[in-house]
Amino acid sequence: MAIVASIILYSCGNISQPETAAAPEVQAYPVFKLAAKDATLATDYPANLQGIQNIEIRPKIDGFIEAIYIDEGATVKKGQLLFRIRAPQYQQDLNTAAAAINSAEADLNVAELQVQKTRTLVEKDIISKFELQSAENNLKVRKSALAQAQANYANAKTNLGYTTITSPVNGMVGALPYKLGSLVGSTTPMPLTTISNISKVYAYFSMNEKQLLEFSKQYLGSTIEEKLNQLPPVDLILSDGTTYPEKGKVETISGFINSQTGTASFRASFPNPLALIRSGGSALVRMPVFLKNAVVIPQKSTYELQGKHFVYLVQDSGKVTSTEIGIMDKSVGQYYVVTGGLKPGETLVLESAAPLPDGTRIKPDLQPEDKVYGNLK
């Protein structure tokens, strides 16, 4: 009996004693320390491209296109012949005006002789001074008639000159909607062509009211001109995604905000020595914004929840705390600019892909600064 009781007591003692649970292993996570950095934000604005001159070539007289001396897309020089319009009536008007000049000159010569003759007779008291005055008045009329004939000739010559059309500027030829033999005139709805001077191009883009206020606060100066002078050069991103090799400069800002669109218009100019950019194209103007001693973190160090951004803040004890942060709308490459919730010197988990409940203890693996921030200063 004593032996059985001992066995039962021993068995019950082994059952009642729980096994000791193994302590969880603390895992290592890459972390980094926040540092104030100089950074450049890049904001892109859709832009419309125009040459510095887009001149419509229109006829000033009615007639038929007799000759076209250029082709679409051709480069022309100022004064180069573009079109010839057949309008024979203007040559006839010029001939008529020339004949009128000859007739007026002949009448003037007769009037001058008559004045000389009358003056001699008056001096000899053969005729009265009234005859001389009448002859002199007739001379004035003949001189006026000659001046009128000369003016008509000049006008006819000008009209005849309109039959040949030359380029007013250096530039590139646009479309040619009218062909040989087409009847054109000053009231024709479409121009004969458009000459675009694209040695320099303008990129027109807009900022909304909020962006305009941010722009005004960022750059010092009491006038728009002073603020524009502080702007750095801007880039042009072409439609294929490449960056145009020439730098541009923002030159003007419109003096009012469009009440319909709520935006203000900006104009940037870019040199175009190779005629790579054409009028009517589209692109993006990339405007840099320099930040001094900004708090910048990698985007992979954050996670988003219900439209808010969070990071894992590492305490000195190694425990992790989820912390909400504020960021700017603009980013610096793969980095966010922090506007609130963090300060330089604090330690963050480098990658936030794996969820870490608050209070989780980790083994911080401090990463070198150049690995975290790359080319940022």
Side-chain angles (χ1 to χ4, degrees):
M1 293 292 290
I3 293 173
V4 173
S6 298
I7 292 173
I8 293 173
L9 290 173
Y10 178 76
S11 301
C12 292
N14 287 343
I15 294 173
S16 62
Q17 292 178 359
E19 293 183 1
T20 302
E25 183 180 356
V26 178
Q27 295 185 7
Y29 283 84
V31 300
F32 69 99
K33 284 191 175 294
L34 281 177
K37 296 291 180 181
D38 294 341
T40 302
L41 294 176
T43 305
D44 294 343
Y45 300 94
N48 175 39
L49 304 177
Q50 296 292 334
I52 57 175
Q53 290 176 299
N54 291 316
I55 301 176
E56 292 184 347
I57 306 300
R58 293 182 177 273
K60 293 185 178 181
I61 59 172
D62 298 336
F64 297 92
I65 297 179
E66 186 177 46
I68 300 175
Y69 298 98
I70 39 89
D71 200 358
E72 296 175 347
T75 300
V76 295
K77 299 293 184 181
K78 181 178 180 179
Q80 183 175 335
L81 187 60
L82 304 179
F83 302 93
R84 184 180 299 279
I85 296 177
R86 183 175 180 274
Q89 68 271 24
Y90 293 105
Q91 182 62 55
Q92 295 171 4
D93 291 344
L94 184 66
N95 296 338
T96 300
I101 288 178
N102 294 333
S103 177
E105 288 176 343
D107 292 340
L108 179 62
N109 292 334
V110 172
E112 288 177 344
L113 292 175
Q114 183 64 34
V115 169
Q116 294 175 4
K117 177 182 177 182
T118 305
R119 182 177 291 113
T120 302
L121 295 175
V122 169
E123 290 174 354
K124 295 180 178 181
D125 293 330
I126 298 175
I127 60 176
S128 66
K129 292 183 179 180
F130 175 78
E131 299 293 338
L132 177 60
Q133 185 176 2
S134 178
E136 289 176 345
N137 290 337
N138 184 55
L139 177 62
K140 291 180 181 179
V141 171
R142 298 308 176 185
K143 287 182 178 180
S144 298
L146 177 60
Q148 181 66 46
Q150 291 172 338
N152 292 339
Y153 179 85
N155 186 52
K157 188 175 182 180
T158 300
N159 288 336
L160 183 62
Y162 291 148
T163 59
T164 56
I165 301 175
T166 59
S167 176
V169 294
N170 298 335
M172 188 168 292
V173 179
L176 298 173
Y178 301 104
K179 308 306 178 185
L180 290 176
S182 300
L183 176 62
V184 295
S186 57
T187 59
T188 302
M190 295 181 64
L192 299 180
T193 190
T194 300
I195 304 297
S196 298
N197 184 353
I198 56 174
S199 58
K200 183 171 71 173
V201 294
Y202 291 140
Y204 293 92
F205 62 99
S206 300
M207 287 188 185
N208 60 38
E209 193 170 356
K210 179 182 177 182
Q211 293 169 329
L212 185 61
L213 288 174
E214 292 177 353
F215 168 82
S216 300
K217 293 176 182 178
Q218 182 176 5
Y219 297 98
L220 300 176
S222 57
T223 64
I224 292 295
E225 289 75 14
E226 292 177 359
K227 294 180 183 293
L228 289 177
N229 289 334
Q230 298 183 44
L231 279 177
V234 295
D235 289 318
L236 191 67
I237 310 303
L238 303 178
S239 57
D240 62 354
T242 60
T243 301
Y244 183 61
E246 301 285 347
K247 293 286 186 179
K249 179 175 177 56
V250 179
E251 295 181 337
T252 62
I253 305 176
S254 63
F256 65 94
I257 295 177
N258 189 312
S259 59
Q260 296 181 349
T261 62
T263 60
S265 179
F266 284 63
R267 188 188 77 196
S269 65
F270 293 84
N272 192 27
L274 301 179
L276 182 62
I277 306 175
R278 303 297 178 90
S279 288
S282 60
L284 296 174
V285 172
R286 179 165 292 172
M287 183 179 294
V289 178
F290 298 114
L291 300 177
K292 190 74 173 177
N293 295 327
V295 177
V296 183
I297 61 173
Q299 293 183 11
K300 64 182 179 182
S301 302
T302 69
Y303 68 95
E304 192 172 349
L305 183 62
Q306 295 181 347
K308 299 179 180 180
H309 290 81
F310 296 84
V311 295
Y312 292 123
L313 185 64
V314 182
Q315 308 293 338
D316 293 339
S317 61
K319 291 184 178 181
V320 172
T321 302
S322 181
T323 303
E324 182 183 352
I325 62 171
I327 62 173
M328 294 185 66
D329 295 336
K330 309 166 188 175
S331 61
V332 186
Q334 299 298 316
Y335 298 86
Y336 286 136
V337 179
V338 179
T339 59
L342 296 175
K343 57 185 177 181
E346 292 181 320
T347 303
L348 301 181
V349 175
L350 181 58
E351 296 187 14
S352 62
L356 293 173
D358 282 359
T360 302
R361 189 183 299 275
I362 66 170
K363 181 179 180 181
D365 180 13
L366 186 63
Q367 301 296 303
E369 186 173 308
D370 58 349
K371 184 176 180 180
V372 176
Y373 290 107
N375 295 327
L376 287 177
K377 296 181 180 179

